[in-house]
Amino acid sequence: MSVIDDPSRPTTAPPEPEPTAPEPPTPEPTAARPAVARGRHTGLFRAFWRWHFYASVIVIPVLLTLAITGLIYLFRFQIEPALNSELMRVQAPAGETVLPYEMQRYSVSQAYPDDQIVSMTEPSAADESTRFTLTTADEETRDVFVDPYTAKVLGGLNPDTTLSGTAIRIHADLMAGRTGELIMELGACWALIMAITGYYLFFKGRRARKRQRDKGARGARLRWTHAGIGSFVGVGLLLLIVSGLPWTGVWGAQVQGLLTKTGQSFWSQDEGALSNPTSTLDESLPHSHHVVPWAQEKSPVPDSDPGAAGTAGSEGAEGGEVSVANVDTAVTVAARTGLERPLTVAFPRDESGVFSVIGYAFNDPAKERTVHIDQYGANVASTYGYDDYPALAKVVSQGIALHEGRRFGTVNMILTTVFCLAVIAACITGPVMWWRRRPRGTGSLGAPRGRMPLASSPWLAVGVVALGVFLPVLGVSLALVLLLDRLVLSRLPATRRFFA
């Protein structure tokens, strides 16, 4: 895209609107640009409109993907039980109580003898099954569901293949690993440009849009609708970009590295578990995003003390007993500390491991807490939660809960739903507007003409540079675009004409 156009040269691209008009009139392909229009391209409105246009080319595919997959993940607790009711739903017999979790675990081990049980999540309602997560011999993940009233194994599935599981994998990295992460981060960075330029166009062009709508001009109502939707989407977009940046592979990783040197962190630092850490909590659990609070994923896990077995009144080390605690013991001990239910229990990974009992506190990150239970003495090896987080980790935890539509319960979920639908609508109305006004038979893309007056607006130049430095992916991509424009696009007649 060219940002250094010569405004005086004749062109077959559609004539430009007045600086306050959001759309050009019907093009006249054969007419040369009149001399009176020569100074128009240096205006901020046209420049911002042009950058808004090209940012949307990058952003719309990413935003559309994020909005659709985000909606699916937002309603995962409604969608998955409906699609897999035979696994996730049970009949709660009148007067019956939930059987011991150890009995349920035994049923799973008998049904899947070659798999390793790594965690259990207790039911959150009377009609829900107990979920056990296993690692198969092929290092894949399997969720197995058990009727908590009969200990009957209902079956299993790979969480990666479910609708919500697929959606979150696409949402995270397009299921393309590092490359997908980079594309998502690139889209998020340019979404910031699109939001900033969009608000400038919204406020500067509001009178022109109103005049055109009042006159009943062609396409005026669609432009008015797009502007209204965009004004709502922009605020949420800025919030989601900020709250989602800690997840990114470039910005998040680089900033985390800098913070570590200052004693801060996006994640918690489990000081109570630093005696001899051998793994982190997210390594103990596959698909840890389902149950492990994001800020605790990198927290170390302590070891059990085999010598503590004697304190529990068992044979201990002398009798050769492997463990005196089981999943029911871990749940009982952890529940006494006031953890939020339902609980998830990560099983000891080996003879030196602990039971890590996680209270996720879905709606309130301030109640997130994990209790590590020694598998021999059933003692609390360490407890770590929100109150122990570094200050920045607390802020990020709250932002993530807001990002996922759960911080303020139903209200947050409704607002996030409306926001996702609005994003989808904006991603549709924008291209429709371009399609209606695109020049036909001119060989031009129909992009707005205008160059950013960086030389005459130092504050604008400083802002662009600051954004590029703060968001490295944006800065690198912007530099590449400008170099491509100056060295290639503006020099070749075909590309110069196509990109206006």
Side-chain angles (χ1 to χ4, degrees), residues 283-370:
E283 292 173 343
S284 301
L285 287 172
H287 299 273
S288 58
H289 62 269
H290 289 303
V291 292
V292 178
W294 188 84
Q296 292 189 30
E297 288 183 1
K298 303 303 179 184
S299 61
V301 176
D303 287 337
S304 289
D305 178 13
T311 63
S314 69
E315 296 178 7
E318 294 182 2
E321 184 171 333
V322 175
S323 174
V324 296
N326 58 30
V327 61
D328 293 296
T329 309
V331 168
T332 300
V333 172
R336 289 173 185 166
T337 68
L339 287 185
E340 291 290 304
R341 310 294 284 263
L343 303 176
T344 292
V345 182
F347 291 89
R349 63 195 176 281
D350 52 34
E351 289 79 5
S352 63
V354 294
F355 287 96
S356 296
V357 187
I358 305 161
Y360 195 79
F362 187 76
N363 292 334
D364 188 0
K367 296 179 180 179
E368 294 174 354
R369 198 147 50 91
T370 296

Side-chain angles (χ1 to χ4, degrees), residues 179-221:
T179 301
E181 279 187 356
L182 191 60
I183 293 173
M184 287 299 194
E185 186 168 355
L186 180 68
C189 290
W190 278 92
L192 187 63
I193 297 295
M194 192 175 69
I196 294 172
T197 55
Y199 274 116
Y200 184 90
L201 299 177
F202 175 79
F203 288 108
K204 290 290 289 185
R206 63 188 185 281
R207 292 179 181 176
R209 285 193 304 275
K210 186 176 185 303
R211 286 197 301 268
Q212 292 178 358
R213 189 191 63 171
D214 293 343
K215 291 178 181 179
R218 181 175 178 269
R221 187 169 297 277

Side-chain angles (χ1 to χ4, degrees), residues 37 49 59 218 247 282 358 363-364 400 409 428 456-457 480 494:
W49 184 15
V59 171
R218 181 175 178 269
W247 272 309
D282 63 336
I358 305 161
N363 292 334
D364 188 0
I400 287 173
I428 294 174
S456 60
S457 304
L480 290 175

